[in-house]
Amino acid sequence: MTVLLLANDEQTEELFAYPVIEKIELKRITGPDEYTPAQSIDACIDLLFENTAERVAWLKSLQAPLVIVNSVVVPLHHIHHDFIRINGWTTFLKRPVTEAAIINTSLQSGVEHFLHFFGRTIEWTPDISGFIIPRIVASIINEAFFALEENVSTEEEIDTAIKLGTHYPFAPFEWGKKIGLHHIYSLLATLSRQQTRYSPSLLLKQAALA
């Protein structure tokens, strides 16, 4: 099986956090300009996906039976109906359960079988912005920024209190930095257009756009 992977070093490490069950021929690149067509591709995983017409057209041109994109914010109906979305945010990618969305359900069993090679099972979610867990985590991080904005405590003290009190894998500010505050802000800004409870903190917005 030949797999084309678009990913940075950290994403690649998380993707291969578990032993690969079946032998694959991996071609890793960081952008389309690095790709040299040599043979057919069985699957493409684009963890560096950007929702541009050029990127989508290039992925379609590969003619891979499976195209999996890391798109937490943008749903498939704004990308391509024959792609598969996953939650590939940093720290989530190495979980044994992968959140995913699909429109073309004829691909569902193939995707499940394919990700099983990487030691993953799939939790199918509706094709909505943010899936499920990223919405929750983004909201937690947002509340931490609101608390900091209101001078409830310091960033370090809030992180310590949340991590010790909840046993989350990461504290909110720590988690936000790992994921990337621009990703958190982008999701919250998108969700807040329909639900004001997701309105991002001004301090978070400033940090994300800095």
Side-chain angles (χ1 to χ4, degrees):
M1 171 175 285
T2 303
V3 177
L4 178 65
L5 173 65
L6 287 88
N8 58 34
D9 291 341
E10 185 176 22
Q11 291 169 327
T12 303
E13 183 179 348
E14 287 200 12
L15 180 63
F16 288 92
Y18 306 97
V20 178
I21 294 172
E22 181 172 310
K23 184 178 180 180
I24 62 172
E25 180 182 351
L26 181 70
K27 299 178 181 297
R28 182 168 82 98
I29 58 176
T30 57
D33 57 318
E34 297 177 16
Y35 178 64
T36 303
Q39 64 186 84
S40 61
I41 297 168
D42 296 299
C44 175
I45 307 174
D46 189 351
L47 298 178
L48 297 171
F49 177 73
E50 296 177 357
N51 185 34
T52 63
E54 294 77 14
R55 186 60 156 250
V56 172
W58 178 77
L59 289 169
K60 287 170 60 180
S61 74
L62 298 173
Q63 297 184 332
L66 296 177
V67 177
I68 300 171
V69 297
N70 171 20
S71 180
V72 173
V73 178
V74 184
L76 287 173
H77 57 268
H78 290 309
I79 303 173
H80 193 275
H81 285 202
D82 289 330
F83 290 178
I84 300 97
R85 285 173 63 215
I86 64 168
N87 171 13
W89 273 0
T90 302
T91 73
F92 294 100
L93 190 60
K94 62 183 175 184
R95 296 175 66 243
V97 178
T98 298
E99 282 182 288
I102 196 169
I103 291 178
N104 183 352
T105 54
S106 67
L107 301 172
Q108 187 166 326
S109 61
V111 179
E112 291 173 349
H113 185 63
F114 173 68
L115 287 183
H116 180 65
F117 296 159
F118 293 87
R120 304 305 200 284
T121 58
I122 294 179
E123 182 67 35
W124 293 106
T125 73
D127 185 38
I128 56 174
S129 295
F131 294 104
I132 306 300
I133 296 179
R135 286 181 174 221
I136 296 170
V137 171
S139 296
I140 292 170
I141 293 169
N142 197 32
E143 287 301 320
F145 271 92
F146 275 124
L148 185 63
E149 195 174 290
E150 295 167 9
N151 295 314
V152 171
S153 190
T154 66
E155 180 176 321
E156 294 76 14
E157 289 172 343
I158 292 170
D159 262 4
T160 299
I162 295 295
K163 194 166 186 178
L164 294 179
T166 64
H167 298 291
Y168 289 156
F170 303 102
F173 293 105
E174 176 190 16
W175 216 342
K177 290 171 185 175
K178 285 180 177 292
I179 294 169
L181 291 177
H182 59 293
H183 291 308
I184 301 296
Y185 174 71
S186 177
L187 176 57
L188 291 170
T190 298
L191 296 175
S192 66
R193 294 186 191 119
Q194 294 185 336
Q195 296 175 289
T196 56
R197 64 192 176 97
Y198 287 108
S199 297
S201 152
L202 178 60
L203 198 60
L204 170 57
K205 179 180 179 179
Q206 292 172 343
L209 300 180

